[in-house]
Amino acid sequence: MPLVEETSLLEDSSVTLPVVIIGNGPSGICLSYMLSGYRPYLSSEAIHPNTVLHSKLEEARHLSIVDQDLEYLSEGLEGRSSNPVAILFDTLLHPDADFGYDYPSVLHWKLEQHHYIPHLVLGKGPPGGAWHNMEGSMLTISFGNWMELPGLKFKDWASSKRRNLKGDRVMPEEIARYYKHYVKVMGLQKNFRENTYITSVSRLYRDQDDDNSQGRDISTKHLQIEKSKFIKRNWEIRGYQRIADGSHVPFCLFAENVALATGTLDSPAHLEIEGEDFPFVFHSMPEFGAAISKGKLHGKVDPVLIVGSGLTAADAVLCAYNNNIPVIHVFRRRVTDPSLIFKQLPKKLYPEYHKVYHMMCTQSYSVNSNLLSDYTSFPEHHVLSFKSDMKCILQSITGLKKIFTLSAAAVLIGSHPNLSFLKEQGCYLGHKSSQPITCKGNPVEIDTYTYECVKEANLFALGPLVGDNFVRFLKGGALGVTRCLTIRQKKKQHLFVERGGGDGIA
């Protein structure tokens, strides 16, 4: 549905929204949930297994977590995120989850509509983001309950839909359906706009003397906002919306704050080597999986080459291996490298990934032997080039080169977010301002308690953009942003009252 019919934003571009969220995956959904007025409180009978944290929670039991000191609550907590608020919120929602326990959340949620902060969530597809595009044949890395969002248990949803869950881990399409349903059942639909593509997000600078000129009467019916709450425009968001007949309708929005929740799956990373653009070289698991499912690689004598040492590369290995397609697996690290993801996964919970890791360790190539019939690993190797005759040249860490003929190749070495709508492609926001933003190597630099970008005021980032690649931890970003915006809103209202109300702009 067109933006213009829902919000009148195109008809009257003078409207300045308090918040625009770019990205409608779990990060954007969770932030919309909290901006809509849902507040977490310590449950009346809950006892957190961390006694120090529990005593802190008891001190302000009457306050929602949004209204408490997040730095104080986060102090001393440890977990698998570099962001303390993410660890805090995760341990409140899933106490001691990393120790294998399935304790219930110590929080309960209340809808307090007076805390509603008007916002829009812009996404390319339906709510759920990239989860709608993931390869359906693979299980998620996390348990289903770790993928859930506040207020709706994944298992309860699955039961209501008569989904048969064979285990704790589920298919990505189930998660995508859950997220889409979540937006509907939580009453968030009015804030979401699908089929929107952002072309630019830029800062607007205005003299302070110009503020009063923005105070003319405008339609506020659909935004649940009063004219007195408008301030000068901080951000201009331009893009287009694709409508049913395939045409593009341009739009221009203005916002006081922008939250980046795009994820990092937009642009697969490339090796940047000769021949990488040949059609037999794939850069995503869905492409590679489709080639296998369509039978394009069945009966091939030559192996497929899989590049990468992460879980997506492991998925590709399993996909080929289970279809009796021989595999050459190339990766730069040693098999004993402690940072390999396999070393962080319990064997009992992730047997298929440990099967891949076992093959990586025990079926490696040596100069004195040929390729094995089903799988051969090449630790501490990299690809030098691909050739038009479907050959590739590999080089070891010692400089030894080897040529192989392939039936296909899958380069699965991570991905980058598409931040082309920001100046400098968003690079200036990272810890290393001369490099592209990546989840692990160069996340957006933020204040770890508010999630506001260090290098750009009123611009926030959460989820994979700040290093939280697991749904468990990205929810903390929504908490940090919501607390920050709530505090600022209260300060604005207090200042407005001090100035005497209706004259001018608060």
Side-chain angles (χ1 to χ4, degrees), residues 36-48:
S36 295
Y38 287 94
R39 290 292 183 267
Y41 288 84
L42 183 66
S43 296
S44 58
E45 298 178 358
I47 300 177
H48 197 282

Side-chain angles (χ1 to χ4, degrees), residues 121-168:
V121 185
L122 307 179
K124 296 176 183 176
W131 285 94
H132 291 278
N133 304 320
M134 291 186 184
E135 175 62 33
S137 63
M138 301 299 168
L139 292 169
T140 61
I141 184 63
S142 296
F143 298 130
N145 64 323
W146 289 359
M147 312 298 290
E148 68 192 20
L149 298 178
L152 179 63
K153 291 184 177 297
F154 179 80
K155 288 182 179 178
D156 292 346
W157 170 82
S159 299
S160 71
K161 297 297 179 182
R162 297 181 180 177
R163 308 286 185 195
N164 293 320
L165 299 181
K166 297 179 181 179
D168 289 325

Side-chain angles (χ1 to χ4, degrees), residues 244-286:
D245 63 5
S247 60
H248 294 173
V249 178
F251 64 82
C252 177
L253 306 177
F254 298 99
E256 299 169 23
N257 303 280
V258 170
L260 302 174
T262 61
T264 59
L265 295 177
D266 288 309
S267 304
H270 284 58
L271 297 169
E272 307 296 343
I273 60 172
E274 176 191 347
E276 197 173 1
D277 56 350
F278 286 132
F280 66 88
V281 182
F282 302 103
H283 289 87
S284 74
M285 185 59 209

